[in-house]
Amino acid sequence: MMKILTPEEIADILRQKDNIQIFMHRSPDGDTIGCAYALCMALQRLGKNARAVCSDEIHKKYSYITDKVKKQDFTPGFFISVDIASTQLLGEQYKDYYDKIDLLIDHHGSNTGFAKCGCVDSTSAACTEIVAEVIRKMGVSIDRDIANAIFTGICTDTGCFKYSNVTAKTHIDAADMISCGADCAYICRLMFDTKSKSRIDIERMALESLEFYEDNKIALICITKQMIDASGADESDTEGIAALPRQVEGALIGITIREKENGEFKISARSAGDINVSKMCSLFGGGGHIAAAGCSIHGTADYAKEQIVSAAVATLKEYPEEQ
Amino acid sequence: MMKILTPEEIADILRQKDNIQIFMHRSPDGDTIGCAYALCMALQRLGKNARAVCSDEIHKKYSYITDKVKKQDFTPGFFISVDIASTQLLGEQYKDYYDKIDLLIDHHGSNTGFAKCGCVDSTSAACTEIVAEVIRKMGVSIDRDIANAIFTGICTDTGCFKYSNVTAKTHIDAADMISCGADCAYICRLMFDTKSKSRIDIERMALESLEFYEDNKIALICITKQMIDASGADESDTEGIAALPRQVEGALIGITIREKENGEFKISARSAGDINVSKMCSLFGGGGHIAAAGCSIHGTADYAKEQIVSAAVATLKEYPEEQ
């Protein structure tokens, strides 16, 4: 059983520790990066050795955060995970650490409590909000670099303040970071208004593939390997593309089909209102949240499309009041 | 000379007035709509007659705001303008009122002071933030409907908290509105994540037209009348499309050419950093802000493109340090 701590108690522990290694989750996003680097900077400000590590490479667009941490050579003796709900998210590369995490800080309600002690606050839209509180309780004043890292977590995990996880506190925490010097316009432009040419290409092709079913209530895009190859898009270029079909006015279920290797098609489903696409995806062995879920279907693109569309049609029928 | 008032003084005046008509600016956006309807609701809560008027039709997506105001039949005797920098923005239809505005509330530094009295606070990202203060000083508590109207102004005038006009206060005001019941996720989804099929089509065609110059530092899209016709796009469908070319990674100047009637091509230019596209547009009789400006060029599409691209190439040369 993990010992539950308050941010203040975490701060007390951290003040006593040194040689600290902070783990981000694999496929690192703005929140896990913001957490790890903000905490690392704060610990370094207290004269400690600290580093942030990740099993996957961090995209270069985050260099305004990652460049601000001093590279220190030390043998770590205390292990923290940030924004990580379960050990496998540490990544294969770190599987020796799965049972060695001393402290975790997280905001996923589904956190498995794999560390010796930690704090999980699922009311925080971003995990960096909890880290900000820990840093304050450590007695470190939040400077511009730390504020940029914290703000990045807040804006990326809320889709730039758009998602339903946003509360008054989210905006108050963002305001705090701006008061501490966070360059919010720069960060938001970099995170939300900058697209690679490959991203532009894959987005255009995705829009060309738009299909509608059930009087436009189901919108579907299909991204084939051929499109990925033609655009030169990598993983980061297709980030968030699953949100596109649901954005079409009138669409209640948005489906994105992505061709993987060996006849595997990854399905992402998004919904409006109370329509449960997690249940729909569970028909194919997948799952997720009510409004955002996924699964995989093996076969041809046409087969995958036919299967998921008929499941979506059946799902829609369960929600006559949404239509 | 317009008498300058504080929000508190405005509240004092409004408490004494009745039969109030509030003008929005032509081509109404979320901020002017949010201001007019929030104020109208607050005045009606005090038992007064009030209405909000606009020379152009209000898009139906704002019905969650406009539906909340009681329609009252009265002869107006006091005239207010909100979010309006100069009288012609009242629209031709209301030109009899150009010299009859009793009170204005605005946040444009360029406000011409055309009313008898008013408040202009150019530090407010949205004009609704000033209106919120006036409403509070009027002694009206901000309920869910008023909060939704105020929040709409804040999020739309900041591009969902992305623009450089955002300050800590912007987020604090947004937090206040959420505490008062504003349905921020619903509003943001409606304003930023809902696209008509025509918008999807015109966006796809715009992306297909992308051209690059000067080693990708200049990105250009050209929207012809034929594209507009093929997509069925109206004015609201092309809103914000001028932001697209500048979003391409590496683009320092983004140019959007839109074909109008009789060989007129409307140019919108957007820039990164300090590059002054207003100066560039002034070469063709246009102007605007440093990072967002416009002009018109007459001739063929190719001529317009050639003219504006050579001006952009010359402009880039003035900023070697940005490259």
Side-chain angles (χ1 to χ4, degrees):
Chain A
M1 275 288 286
M2 182 174 82
K3 189 178 174 196
I4 305 300
L5 302 175
T6 64
E8 189 153 18
E9 288 166 332
I10 291 179
D12 283 342
I13 293 174
L14 291 180
R15 268 197 301 260
Q16 294 160 36
K17 300 292 177 185
D18 200 353
N19 301 315
I20 297 163
Q21 181 153 310
I22 308 162
F23 291 94
M24 288 166 262
H25 62 69
R26 67 183 185 208
S27 305
D29 60 12
D31 197 25
T32 201
I33 294 167
C35 284
Y37 282 87
L39 194 54
C40 193
M41 284 186 249
L43 291 164
Q44 291 186 347
R45 302 276 190 282
L46 291 175
K48 297 175 189 296
N49 287 326
R51 74 165 67 98
V53 302
C54 187
S55 58
D56 290 322
E57 207 182 333
I58 295 176
H59 194 280
K60 66 179 178 350
K61 72 179 173 184
Y62 295 104
S63 63
Y64 67 96
I65 298 175
T66 56
D67 285 354
K68 301 298 176 181
V69 164
K70 281 181 286 180
K71 288 205 173 38
Q72 296 175 318
D73 199 23
F74 63 92
T75 306
F78 192 76
F79 301 98
I80 304 179
S81 74
V82 284
D83 194 35
I84 295 183
S86 61
T87 47
Q88 64 270 33
L89 294 170
L90 288 163
E92 265 291 296
Q93 188 185 327
Y94 290 122
K95 66 167 184 275
D96 290 349
Y97 293 90
Y98 284 7
D99 58 352
K100 290 190 179 59
I101 303 300
D102 294 295
L103 173 79
L104 66 79
I105 303 174
D106 190 23
H107 71 136
H108 294 94
S110 58
N111 186 290
T112 60
F114 55 85
K116 295 188 187 103
C117 61
C119 169
V120 180
D121 176 7
S122 62
T123 69
S124 285
C127 192
T128 54
E129 297 177 73
I130 315 170
V131 167
E133 214 181 322
V134 169
I135 291 173
R136 285 217 167 91
K137 299 289 184 190
M138 278 162 63
V140 176
S141 85
I142 294 182
D143 61 17
R144 183 169 178 276
D145 293 335
I146 296 177
N148 278 341
I150 303 282
F151 185 87
T152 299
I154 299 176
C155 74
T156 54
D157 251 29
T158 59
C160 208
F161 305 96
K162 278 202 300 247
Y163 298 161
S164 55
N165 59 353
V166 170
T167 64
K169 185 176 174 289
T170 318
H171 281 284
I172 289 168
D173 288 343
D176 272 353
M177 291 309 118
I178 295 171
S179 301
C180 292
D183 194 349
C184 58
Y186 169 81
I187 294 169
C188 289
R189 199 172 74 204
L190 196 60
M191 294 295 133
F192 301 101
D193 278 347
T194 306
K195 296 177 180 183
S196 68
K197 284 173 84 169
S198 303
R199 167 63 185 226
I200 298 265
D201 280 345
I202 197 76
E203 208 169 297
R204 182 177 50 72
M205 289 188 255
L207 293 178
E208 274 164 16
S209 79
L210 251 176
E211 290 176 25
F212 297 94
Y213 301 91
E214 295 291 294
D215 200 17
N216 300 332
K217 291 185 194 103
I218 300 169
L220 177 145
I221 59 177
C222 185
I223 300 170
T224 62
K225 277 204 298 192
Q226 200 190 347
M227 292 180 189
I228 299 269
D229 291 346
S231 65
D234 61 18
E235 271 303 310
S236 77
D237 290 322
T238 56
E239 225 179 87
I241 218 153
L244 288 183
R246 238 291 291 124
Q247 290 180 4
V248 185
E249 199 173 16
L252 296 174
I253 298 180
I255 297 169
T256 303
I257 301 181
R258 236 183 297 200
E259 185 179 5
K260 295 286 174 182
E261 299 300 318
N262 305 320
E264 184 194 355
F265 289 87
K266 259 192 83 173
I267 316 281
S268 302
R270 300 286 182 271
S271 74
D274 297 321
I275 296 173
N276 190 339
V277 286
S278 175
K279 194 176 145 197
M280 176 181 94
C281 287
S282 72
L283 297 174
F284 306 97
H289 304 282
I290 286 176
C295 59
S296 284
I297 296 180
H298 290 261
T300 63
D302 283 343
Y303 175 76
K305 201 182 286 184
E306 186 200 302
Q307 290 288 306
I308 195 70
V309 169
S310 25
V313 171
T315 301
L316 268 187
K317 286 203 171 47
E318 294 175 33
Y319 300 88
E321 73 284 0
E322 297 276 353
Q323 299 171 47
Chain B
M1 273 287 285
M2 181 175 82
K3 188 177 174 200
I4 305 299
L5 302 176
T6 63
E8 189 151 18
E9 289 166 332
I10 291 180
D12 283 342
I13 293 173
L14 291 180
R15 268 197 299 260
Q16 294 159 36
K17 299 292 177 186
D18 201 354
N19 300 316
I20 297 164
Q21 181 154 312
I22 309 161
F23 292 93
M24 289 166 262
H25 62 68
R26 69 183 185 209
S27 306
D29 60 11
D31 198 24
T32 199
I33 294 166
C35 284
Y37 281 87
L39 194 53
C40 193
M41 284 186 250
L43 292 164
Q44 292 186 346
R45 303 273 190 284
L46 291 175
K48 296 176 189 298
N49 287 325
R51 74 165 68 99
V53 301
C54 186
S55 59
D56 291 323
E57 207 182 333
I58 295 176
H59 194 282
K60 65 177 179 352
K61 72 180 172 182
Y62 295 104
S63 62
Y64 67 96
I65 299 175
T66 56
D67 285 354
K68 302 298 178 182
V69 165
K70 281 181 285 180
K71 288 204 172 41
Q72 295 175 319
D73 198 25
F74 63 92
T75 307
F78 192 78
F79 302 98
I80 305 179
S81 74
V82 284
D83 194 37
I84 295 182
S86 62
T87 49
Q88 63 271 33
L89 293 171
L90 288 163
E92 266 291 296
Q93 188 185 327
Y94 290 121
K95 67 167 184 276
D96 291 348
Y97 293 91
Y98 283 7
D99 59 353
K100 289 190 179 61
I101 303 299
D102 296 293
L103 173 78
L104 67 78
I105 303 173
D106 191 22
H107 70 137
H108 294 95
S110 58
N111 187 290
T112 60
F114 54 85
K116 298 192 184 98
C117 62
C119 169
V120 178
D121 176 8
S122 62
T123 68
S124 284
C127 192
T128 54
E129 297 176 73
I130 314 170
V131 168
E133 212 180 325
V134 170
I135 291 174
R136 286 219 167 88
K137 300 287 185 193
M138 280 163 62
V140 175
S141 86
I142 294 182
D143 60 19
R144 181 170 180 276
D145 293 335
I146 296 178
N148 277 341
I150 304 282
F151 185 87
T152 299
I154 299 176
C155 73
T156 55
D157 252 29
T158 59
C160 209
F161 305 96
K162 278 201 300 244
Y163 297 161
S164 56
N165 60 353
V166 170
T167 64
K169 185 175 172 292
T170 319
H171 281 285
I172 289 167
D173 287 344
D176 272 353
M177 291 309 118
I178 294 171
S179 300
C180 293
D183 194 350
C184 59
Y186 169 82
I187 295 169
C188 289
R189 199 173 71 203
L190 196 60
M191 295 295 134
F192 301 101
D193 277 348
T194 305
K195 296 178 179 182
S196 68
K197 283 174 85 169
S198 304
R199 167 63 184 225
I200 298 265
D201 279 345
I202 198 76
E203 208 170 296
R204 181 178 50 74
M205 288 188 257
L207 293 178
E208 274 164 16
S209 80
L210 253 175
E211 289 177 25
F212 296 93
Y213 301 90
E214 294 293 293
D215 201 16
N216 302 331
K217 290 186 195 104
I218 300 169
L220 177 145
I221 59 177
C222 185
I223 299 171
T224 62
K225 277 206 296 189
Q226 200 191 349
M227 290 180 191
I228 299 269
D229 292 345
S231 65
D234 62 18
E235 272 302 311
S236 78
D237 290 323
T238 57
E239 225 180 88
I241 217 152
L244 288 184
R246 238 290 291 122
Q247 291 180 5
V248 185
E249 197 175 19
L252 296 174
I253 298 181
I255 295 169
T256 303
I257 301 181
R258 238 184 296 201
E259 186 180 5
K260 295 284 176 185
E261 299 300 318
N262 306 319
E264 184 194 353
F265 289 86
K266 261 194 82 173
I267 316 278
S268 301
R270 300 286 182 273
S271 74
D274 297 321
I275 296 174
N276 190 339
V277 286
S278 175
K279 194 176 147 199
M280 175 181 94
C281 288
S282 72
L283 297 173
F284 306 97
H289 304 282
I290 287 176
C295 61
S296 283
I297 296 180
H298 289 261
T300 62
D302 282 344
Y303 176 77
K305 201 182 285 184
E306 185 200 304
Q307 290 289 305
I308 195 69
V309 169
S310 27
V313 171
T315 301
L316 267 188
K317 287 204 170 44
E318 294 175 35
Y319 300 88
E321 73 284 359
E322 297 277 353
Q323 297 168 52

